[in-house]
Each structure stands twice: as C-alpha cells, then as structure tokens.
Amino acid sequence: MHTKHFVLASAFFMMFSACNNTNPSQETTLKDAVIDNLDTTVNPGQDFFMYANGGWIKKNPIPNEQASWGIGNLVIEENLERLRTISEDAAKANGAQGTPDQKIGDFFTTAMDSSKIEKAGITPLQPYLDKIAAITDTKSLLSTVAQLKVIGSGTLFADFVTQDDMNSEVMTFKLWQGGIGLPEREYYFKNDSATINIRKAYVQYITNILTMSGTDAAKAAQSAKNILALETNLASASRKIEDLRDPHHNYNKIAISALSGISSVIDWTAYLQTLGVKNIDSVIVGQPEFFKALDKTLQTVSIEDWKSYLRFNLISDFAIALPDNYGIASFNFSKLFSGATVRKPRWKRVISSEENAMGELLGQLYVKEYFNETAKQRYSNLVEAIRTAMHDRIANLSWMSDSTKQRAFVKLAAVKKKVGYPDKWKDFSGLTIGKESWVANIVNANSFRYNREMNKLGKPVDRDEWDMYPQTYNAYYNPSNNEIVLPAGIFTVPGFRDEELDDAVVYGYAGASTIGHELTHGFDDEGRQFDAKGNLLSWWTKDDETTFNQRAEVMVKQFNAYEPLPQYHINGKATLGENIADLGGILLGIDAFKKTEQYKKGELMNGLNPMQRYFIGYALGWLGHERDEVLRSGLLTDVHSPAKYRVNGPFADVDEFYTTFNIKQGDAMYIADSARVRIW
C-alpha cells in the first residue's frame, strides 16, 4: 500500500492554471489512488506516461525476481498472497476426498515438498520418456506426439477445440502452426546480437536438459543443434504474427478425409482418434502451407532427432515440477526474455502451477472473500454506460453508411457482458488430485482439461463458460460469442477498496482501459468481421470497409514510427487491433464520464480537475516499467504495444487530451488535428 501525500509543487498548479475552469475553493482532499504516482517535473505534452507514472517508477525499482514491475504485478502479488492463504487453509482442513479443500490442499502440499521431489528425480516422467524411447518410425512418432499433447506437452503443431468462426453455434477442431520452442518465428531469423545470443543460449539449454536427463553430453550437444535446425524449418513455413490477424485468411475448412492433401505423411484419421477427436467430419486448418512444409520435415529429419525433440520438450514443459536443477536451467534460459535475475520463491511457483491446474476452483473461494455484490454492480453499470457511449458514437459517425450503422447497433446490443465471476462454475468433480507427485497432479489436471475440451465436440456451445479465472488481472473480448469477459481481478487497485475510488479514476482505469477497450475489440480490424451472433460474416458495405481500412492505416503508420529500443520498432500492423481498442476505450470512457456528477460538478480533487484525473486514471492502468529483455521480446511476439505507447500513442489522437492539458504544437506528443486517427 502506498503512503499518500497531498502536497504538490507550486509549479504543478501553475502548469494547470490555464486548463482548470473550477474554483480552487471547491477543492477536496481525499485518499487518492493516483496523486503520488505523478512526476510533475515532466511536461504532460512531452511524455504523459512518465508524467502520470514517473513518480512511482522512480521510487519502485524492478525487484530481482521480476521481469517488470507495475500495477499488474502489484495486483498479482496481492492475489498470490490471497491464494496462498486459501491453499494453506485448505491443506490444514484435511478435507474429505474429492472436496475442493482436498484437491487444493493436496496439490499445494505435494508441490511444496521439495525433498520428496528431489528424491524422485525424473522418475514421475519415466512412463512418457519410455514411450518416446520406443519410437521407431513416423507412425509411432505421431502416435506419441498425440499422447503427449493430452498430458500437456505440445509439439509439431498446435491443435485445439474452438468455435467455428463461420458458425459460432458449432464447436470444431483447429490445426494451427506451431512446434517451435522460441517465442516467435522471428527469433530464428533476426541477426542482431541479442537474437543471435538467444539462439546460442537455446541450443545450450536444450543440451543441458538432455544431458541432465541421461543423454551423453556429446550426443546432447549435437541433438540440440539439430533441434534448432528442425525448428528453423518449421519457423520458415510459419506466417508472421501480423498475418495471423486476418480471420478469413486463416480459415480453411477441410474434410478429415481430405487432410492428406496438406500432409500425406500424417495418418490423420489415426492421429485424431488418438487425440480423442470425434463427432466431426472436418477441421479448420489455419495455415495449410505450414503443414505441407511439415510433411517434408517429417520425411527428412531422422527419428533419433525427433525423439530428442520430444524428450527435450516433455522435460522442459514439466521443469517446474522436477528437481531444482531442471527448474533452474529453465529459469536461466527464461532470463533472456524476462531480465529477472532471481528465481521466484517456491510458493509463488506452486500457486502459479495450481492456478493453471484448477484456477476456477480457486476462484470460487476467492470471490467469496474479495469481490462483493456492490462492486460487481458498479462495474456492470459501467459496462452499460460504455455501451451507450458506443451507440452514440456510431450514430454520429460521418464516414459510415446508415445500413452499416444499423447492423453495428444490432451487434452492440447483442454483446454479452460477464462481470466478476461466472454465474455457473465449472465442475471439477472428475479431477483427481493426490499426493503421489507434483508431476502427476499436473498430468491429471492437464488430461482432465484436455478431455473436457474434447467432449465439447458435437455438443451445443456453452456461452456461459469463462476462459479466465475470477482472480485474473486481465480481460478479453471473444468474437465467436460476441462477449466481453471482465474478471474481478482486473478492477483491483492495490491498497484501495473499490468504494475509495472516485469515478474519474474508475472511468479511466476500468471504463476506458478495460471495458471500453474490450467493447471496441468487437469493432476493431479483426472483431468487426464477426457479426452479432459471432459468425465470420461481413456486415459492412464495401465502401465502409474501404474507409475503415484507410483510417486504420493511419494508426498503423503512427505506431510503426515508434522505436522503443534501437532497431526495434512497434509492429503497427500486428498491434493494430489493440491500438484501435485502446483509442476506442479512451473515447468511450470520456463520453461516459461526462455524464457523471463528478464531471458535471468540476470540483478539484488534490489539485486536479475531473478530466485530468480521468486521463491519469487511464494511465494508472499501465503504471510500471519493464526490463529491456521483456520489451525486446514483446516487440517481436506481442500484439499489444508496450505500456508507455498504450498511453502516449492513443492520447495523441484524442482531442480532449489537447484541451485538458494545453498540448501545443512543438510538444513531443502533438499531432496535427488533420493527421490524428479518426475511427470510432
């Protein structure tokens, strides 16, 4: 919790004298979530992110165990402590077999027993290592790949159950590019010193894992080089991150009987049967050219290299639950992407693993303690305020035809809101958790989740299901369900009860950066291609589509120009959807906030007028800083812009930002009115 001080430098008041239209005698002084974060030595027009957050950043260096440090980390840390209490209490409860207390308590107790884990060594994985060792040909290779996917070790390519983009009432099976161990295809091809070093370290990491697990050192080193070459082949056939954003281009429906056309080496009928795929006669293939290239790779790479590839991936995937030398090797490699210098303590690693295994079961206990009905109602109401603002914005668009507007209204009205936590919880009665080993519990949880997904095939879509846990600090828009999902955790401001937050901060922090952002995703470059029922079906006139794309291209060029690190620009095309959603969320939040009593009264609070507090409240959602390693990795792999540019980038396109903070030509963030992004 921050200690709050409410005294500002006189220069700060002078800076805003021109844009405060209220009487200073009206000022209120209350507990404040944003005032101590400011760095008033920074001109808001030069770098608003650092103006709003720089004070906090200066006082809060990144801890050694963290890759970044900011509000999201603070929420996560607070929730980790809460989940630790829940887990420790469950362990003490000694609950009856099959109860939530038993499952949570036994998972936590078993994973915390380091001496037992060290003594067991790699034995818990031995049955699966034996399967790999028994591979003799492509047929047994593919059968083993399928079996390992069931327990949570995915290789060769990605495949999963999901809604059919063209028919959202139907669950289907997708085949997608994958099979690489580095985070994104560009890591295999960029030739700057940092990326070359990462490739070298990856080969060394593979070597270490194989050697520790019993492979001869010289053989392990050669296998590691061969695995990198194998993955480079897969990466070369993979589409770039920006090309994965076009849903039409990545939708190819193919009958199972015709899959030999994309890969003749794979016996698709046998492979899908091993996975448990049933009740369907066709699948969606995202990138057919990838599978054609995989076909050649399967024929040219030796069986021994494939076995080493599977062995390495299996051990690496379960390194967290194995003896410390495996976990430490995994951490040391991950440092190249995180920059963290110290491994997180065991209990935090265990809670993270426990959430992956049964996060919603933990969430049931979490919301009873930490998210009341009053808070849920506040944010449910805020969704409707943001929805109304979106309706008004669509109605007032000068560039969109009336026919497209009418369809947009239908889609907007149909957006389903899920706030806080599910109305119907998942059933975990079939999940077996015991005290055999941490590995066994992860295997059981992964298999349970996998089978639950497979059982969806051929059944009606459950539109009440959540894909995040209530305690998660995140949110999402699902185009196939046309829904926004807003977990309780995303509304948390560390150190503050919800009732202590004024509307200006809430409308910026939650209304703009979360609710408005997710709602706008339904109308961004990708989401706009889905209709009110969640089907990939065009509802735009051709002229409106053309105009939208022209306006979106302005944003692509704006973000392409940002260079957070030398030689590393933001990918404006890959981040377009998130950038549109950020800008849309800010505009919707402003429109909704202008209808509140706080805005209408215009009273100062700790030296700030309501609209100033709104913008600072939005910036609070991106409070923090990150190591260069994280920033570099994100610029290659993330469809989100770095946090600083999620504030400064869209703010530069918002007219109210200019009037609220007196932004003038010559300021670093100034963009001429005619050059600003104008979409929603």
Side-chain angles (χ1 to χ4, degrees):
M1 181 182 296
H2 298 307
T3 302
K4 296 297 173 187
H5 305 284
F6 304 119
V7 179
L8 297 175
S10 59
F12 173 71
F13 289 107
M14 291 173 63
M15 179 163 46
F16 289 116
S17 61
C19 50
N20 286 341
N21 299 317
T22 54
N23 186 340
S25 65
Q26 295 176 308
E27 181 175 351
T28 58
T29 302
L30 301 170
K31 186 177 180 182
D32 197 332
V34 297
I35 202 72
D36 277 353
N37 300 334
L38 300 178
D39 182 353
T40 57
T41 67
V42 177
N43 182 337
Q46 295 300 115
D47 185 345
F48 192 87
F49 176 85
M50 287 305 298
Y51 158 71
N53 297 324
W56 186 92
I57 289 172
K58 288 179 180 178
K59 292 179 287 188
N60 293 274
I62 301 172
N64 289 336
E65 71 176 51
Q66 300 288 348
S68 59
W69 195 241
I71 190 157
N73 304 92
L74 297 176
V75 174
I76 291 168
E77 291 296 309
E78 189 173 280
N79 281 340
L80 282 171
E81 291 286 357
R82 292 171 172 177
L83 295 175
R84 182 184 191 180
T85 298
I86 289 171
S87 298
E88 289 176 341
D89 288 348
K92 294 173 185 175
N94 196 27
Q97 187 66 31
T99 62
D101 275 346
Q102 178 268 315
K103 292 175 182 178
I104 293 170
D106 282 0
F107 190 102
F108 187 76
T109 299
T110 302
M112 289 296 292
D113 191 347
S114 58
S115 60
K116 182 179 179 181
I117 291 170
E118 293 296 326
K119 184 178 180 181
I122 204 168
T123 302
L125 284 179
Q126 197 59 50
Y128 308 103
L129 293 171
D130 290 344
K131 289 179 183 292
I132 294 171
I135 294 172
T136 57
D137 53 21
T138 302
K139 180 180 178 180
S140 54
L141 167 68
L142 293 166
S143 176
T144 305
V145 165
Q147 293 174 61
L148 294 178
K149 287 192 177 191
V150 175
I151 69 166
S153 184
T155 51
L156 286 189
F157 52 86
D159 43 13
F160 48 91
V161 176
T162 186
Q163 284 166 271
D164 189 324
D165 293 331
M166 294 288 189
N167 183 359
S168 64
E169 297 298 328
V170 173
M171 299 301 293
T172 189
F173 196 71
K174 273 192 180 180
L175 303 175
W176 205 261
Q177 66 186 44
I180 58 176
L182 294 175
E184 212 275 328
R185 75 179 300 279
E186 296 307 312
Y187 278 103
Y188 294 86
F189 306 114
K190 283 181 66 68
N191 283 315
D192 60 290
S193 58
T195 309
I196 291 172
N197 183 51
I198 284 172
R199 287 198 292 270
K200 290 179 179 178
Y202 184 45
V203 169
Q204 187 59 55
Y205 173 53
I206 298 172
T207 302
N208 292 344
I209 290 293
L210 293 176
T211 303
M212 286 189 296
S213 68
T215 303
D216 173 77
K219 181 181 177 182
Q222 185 59 53
S223 294
K225 293 178 182 178
N226 294 346
I227 289 170
L228 178 66
L230 180 166
E231 293 184 4
T232 302
N233 284 337
L234 298 181
S236 66
S238 301
R239 292 181 185 173
K240 293 185 176 182
I241 187 171
E242 59 266 33
D243 296 327
L244 296 175
R245 287 194 50 78
D246 183 342
H248 285 280
H249 186 46
N250 291 279
Y251 183 97
N252 302 276
K253 194 168 190 175
I254 301 177
I256 292 174
S257 59
L259 284 175
S260 59
I262 62 166
S263 178
S264 59
V265 172
I266 299 175
D267 182 342
W268 287 104
T269 300
Y271 175 81
L272 295 174
Q273 284 177 347
T274 304
L275 287 178
V277 174
K278 54 190 175 183
N279 301 324
I280 58 173
D281 57 11
S282 61
V283 298
I284 310 303
V285 180
Q287 304 79 29
E289 72 279 8
F290 173 85
F291 290 91
K292 291 178 180 178
L294 174 62
D295 209 40
K296 294 181 181 178
T297 306
L298 284 167
Q299 296 177 69
T300 56
V301 173
S302 73
I303 288 296
E304 285 304 310
D305 283 339
W306 281 119
K307 290 164 70 171
S308 295
Y309 167 78
L310 295 188
R311 183 180 181 90
F312 159 69
N313 275 282
L314 173 66
I315 297 170
S316 182
D317 288 338
F318 284 88
I320 189 175
L322 294 172
D324 261 359
N325 57 334
Y326 292 97
I328 291 170
S330 177
F331 168 73
N332 286 338
F333 177 61
S334 73
K335 289 193 295 187
L336 294 173
F337 307 98
S338 71
T341 58
V342 176
R343 197 178 178 205
K344 291 181 181 179
R346 186 178 198 86
W347 73 266
K348 289 185 180 180
R349 303 196 305 269
V350 169
I351 292 297
S352 176
S353 175
E354 189 176 18
E355 276 204 287
N356 287 336
M358 45 186 168
E360 195 168 295
L361 192 62
L362 284 164
Q364 294 180 39
L365 304 181
Y366 175 90
V367 297
K368 289 180 181 179
E369 295 290 331
Y370 305 114
F371 194 73
N372 60 34
E373 283 296 328
T374 301
K376 182 170 184 174
Q377 190 60 53
R378 181 182 196 181
Y379 293 106
S380 182
N381 293 341
L382 185 50
V383 172
E384 295 311 319
I386 296 293
R387 193 197 304 263
T388 298
M390 185 64 164
H391 185 281
D392 293 345
R393 279 205 162 258
I394 293 170
N396 292 323
L397 287 177
S398 61
W399 61 267
M400 181 179 280
S401 67
D402 186 64
S403 61
T404 303
K405 284 183 181 182
Q406 294 307 314
R407 295 186 183 97
F409 291 145
V410 172
K411 178 171 183 176
L412 177 64
V415 174
K416 183 174 183 176
K417 64 179 178 183
K418 297 179 178 178
V419 178
Y421 50 86
D423 295 324
K424 181 178 70 175
W425 297 98
K426 288 186 175 75
D427 179 8
F428 284 86
S429 61
L431 171 62
T432 300
I433 297 294
K435 294 184 178 179
E436 177 188 344
S437 71
W438 190 358
V439 167
N441 285 335
I442 294 176
V443 166
N444 288 346
N446 288 346
S447 300
F448 172 77
R449 180 171 54 248
Y450 186 91
N451 290 328
R452 184 176 60 204
E453 290 299 302
M454 287 298 167
N455 284 333
K456 294 177 181 178
L457 292 172
K459 296 180 181 178
V461 173
D462 181 1
R463 294 183 181 268
D464 293 324
E465 185 178 14
W466 284 48
D467 290 329
M468 281 182 181
Y469 316 131
Q471 64 271 23
T472 302
Y473 185 74
N474 209 337
Y476 66 91
Y477 171 77
N478 178 357
S480 293
N481 276 352
N482 192 26
E483 65 182 4
I484 54 174
V485 184
L486 311 164
I490 194 62
F491 301 123
T492 304
V493 176
F496 287 80
R497 297 191 305 274
D498 187 73
E499 59 269 23
E500 294 174 323
L501 303 172
D502 62 302
D503 276 346
V505 168
V506 167
Y507 274 67
Y509 179 74
S513 70
T514 300
I515 298 171
H517 173 96
E518 301 304 338
L519 190 65
T520 305
H521 268 316
F523 303 89
D524 69 14
D525 64 309
E526 187 172 7
R528 71 168 189 81
Q529 299 184 59
F530 293 80
D531 68 9
K533 294 182 179 180
N535 296 314
L536 185 55
L537 181 69
S538 178
W539 46 273
W540 295 61
T541 68
K542 288 297 182 182
D543 286 346
D544 289 341
E545 267 193 350
T546 299
T547 303
F548 177 94
N549 290 332
Q550 289 171 344
R551 289 169 179 263
E553 186 60 28
V554 178
M555 178 165 270
V556 171
K557 292 178 180 178
Q558 177 187 340
F559 278 81
N560 277 342
Y562 295 133
E563 188 177 11
L565 288 173
Q567 302 180 56
Y568 283 79
H569 285 254
I570 293 176
N571 185 330
K573 187 175 180 182
T575 59
L576 178 59
E578 298 298 334
N579 297 333
I580 290 174
D582 284 340
L583 176 57
I586 292 164
L587 296 172
L588 296 176
I590 289 172
D591 293 350
F593 178 55
K594 286 181 176 180
K595 296 180 180 180
T596 66
E597 287 301 309
Q598 183 180 6
Y599 176 80
K600 292 174 182 177
K601 289 180 179 179
E603 294 178 355
L604 297 180
M605 180 176 173
N606 299 321
L608 299 167
N609 70 34
M611 191 54 75
Q612 290 166 351
R613 293 184 62 78
Y614 168 83
F615 281 105
I616 296 169
Y618 173 87
L620 175 66
W622 308 112
L623 170 74
H625 49 146
E626 60 190 358
R627 301 184 191 277
D628 283 353
E629 293 88 344
V630 178
L631 182 55
R632 184 180 296 109
S633 178
L635 289 168
L636 292 178
T637 65
D638 201 345
V639 296
H640 302 80
S641 298
K644 177 177 178 176
Y645 300 89
R646 298 189 71 171
V647 176
N648 292 356
F651 276 10
D653 296 306
V654 177
D655 295 343
E656 283 86 350
F657 173 65
Y658 289 78
T659 55
T660 301
F661 291 97
N662 256 345
I663 309 301
K664 303 294 186 184
Q665 188 171 0
D667 289 336
M669 290 180 60
Y670 179 87
I671 295 177
D673 181 279
S674 60
R676 294 172 198 165
V677 178
R678 310 286 190 188
I679 302 177
W680 296 109

